[in-house]
Amino acid sequence: MARRETKAQQAERIQKILAALDREYGTEYRCYLNHETPWQLLIAVIMSAQCTDARVNMVTADLFRKYDTLEKFANADLKELEQDIHSTGFYHMKAKNIIACCRDLVDKHGSEVPRTIEELTALAGVGRKTANVIRGNIYNEPSIVVDTHVKRISRKLGLTKSEDPVKIEQDLMKALPRDHWILWNIHIITLGRSICIARRPKCGECFLREFCPGREDEG
DNA sequence: CTCCCGATAT
DNA sequence: ATATCAGGAG
């Protein structure tokens, strides 16, 4: 039976992982979803569900020119918006949610994007993951975003054993220093897109290899 | 739990 | 053909 690593050992390993990520990717936050305003980011994140950010950016390039105000989204024609965002997938639900969400922003929030988890998740199409993206990116609130990459890679790195996003978020808050919470998400996405790819992870060329209990030995 | 769903890589 | 993509609603 494999010996379990102690708390101190794990803390030391995490420090090395964070240092390697900072060294490789830098410490400046960057957003992969193009936007100029908070409400644009909110709409982009709603559309990013089960869709690549590159695809969302292709759509928003035209979309944010056509609907250049929050009010235009709130008053958009459903069928027309469905066609406008068709290529992001799940377009019936996303279009419906975007309109309902923007109506709520206009009617109940003075056309501003709210700050709290409760207010954000009360919006149509906004779950915990989207709410945490807004809190971290727009309001600079320390928050852990658990998306598909964070879930997969945090599990591989042995920072959580859970499948539940809320539990993963809690585990990561305990494991990671608060000042790395926001950066963890974007660093792990960067890693997950280039090296720790879901279908075929390139463990042989991963700079976290020696710190990763989930690495696969390739022949 | 199921369903939503197109685009892309393998 | 199949897995995967900055998930969320019912």
Side-chain angles (χ1 to χ4, degrees), chain A residues 16-186:
Chain A
K16 290 176 180 173
I17 290 171
L18 294 174
L21 285 168
D22 288 352
R23 187 167 61 245
E24 196 76 14
Y25 296 143
T27 56
E28 197 160 322
Y29 186 84
R30 63 167 293 191
C31 186
Y32 285 115
L33 292 167
N34 298 340
H35 67 281
E36 293 178 354
T37 68
W39 59 265
Q40 284 182 346
L41 178 62
L42 183 60
I43 291 169
V45 181
I46 290 173
M47 283 195 291
S48 74
Q50 297 295 289
C51 177
T52 61
D53 48 345
R55 171 63 50 187
V56 174
N57 287 336
M58 285 182 221
V59 169
T60 55
D62 294 326
L63 193 72
F64 291 157
R65 270 195 288 272
K66 177 172 178 179
Y67 304 87
D68 59 350
T69 65
L70 193 50
E71 287 72 17
K72 287 187 183 174
F73 274 107
N75 296 310
D77 177 75
L78 178 59
K79 292 299 176 188
E80 191 174 340
L81 185 57
E82 285 180 357
Q83 289 313 305
D84 292 331
I85 70 168
H86 174 270
S87 69
T88 65
F90 298 155
Y91 56 92
H92 293 298
M93 183 192 69
K94 287 177 183 175
K96 181 169 168 247
N97 284 341
I98 287 168
I99 292 173
C101 176
C102 291
R103 283 183 180 167
D104 267 1
L105 289 180
V106 172
D107 295 342
K108 302 180 185 175
H109 297 281
S111 295
E112 302 271 328
V113 176
R115 179 186 284 259
T116 68
I117 295 272
E118 291 73 21
E119 288 173 304
L120 284 163
T121 54
L123 297 166
V126 179
R128 192 174 186 87
K129 177 256 175 179
T130 301
N132 279 330
V133 171
I134 295 300
R135 286 171 58 74
N137 197 320
I138 302 299
Y139 296 113
N140 207 30
E141 297 271 4
S143 53
I144 299 274
V145 175
V146 180
D147 56 46
T148 181
H149 296 292
V150 168
K151 176 180 177 181
R152 181 180 76 258
I153 297 175
S154 297
R155 285 167 56 83
K156 272 195 185 185
L157 288 171
L159 303 189
T160 180
K161 293 177 180 175
S162 179
E163 294 271 1
D164 173 36
V166 177
K167 180 66 163 63
I168 293 172
E169 187 181 324
Q170 293 170 347
D171 288 342
L172 290 176
M173 283 180 174
K174 292 176 189 168
L176 302 173
R178 196 180 183 86
D179 62 339
H180 274 77
W181 285 3
I182 297 176
L183 213 50
W184 180 258
N185 169 55
I186 204 69

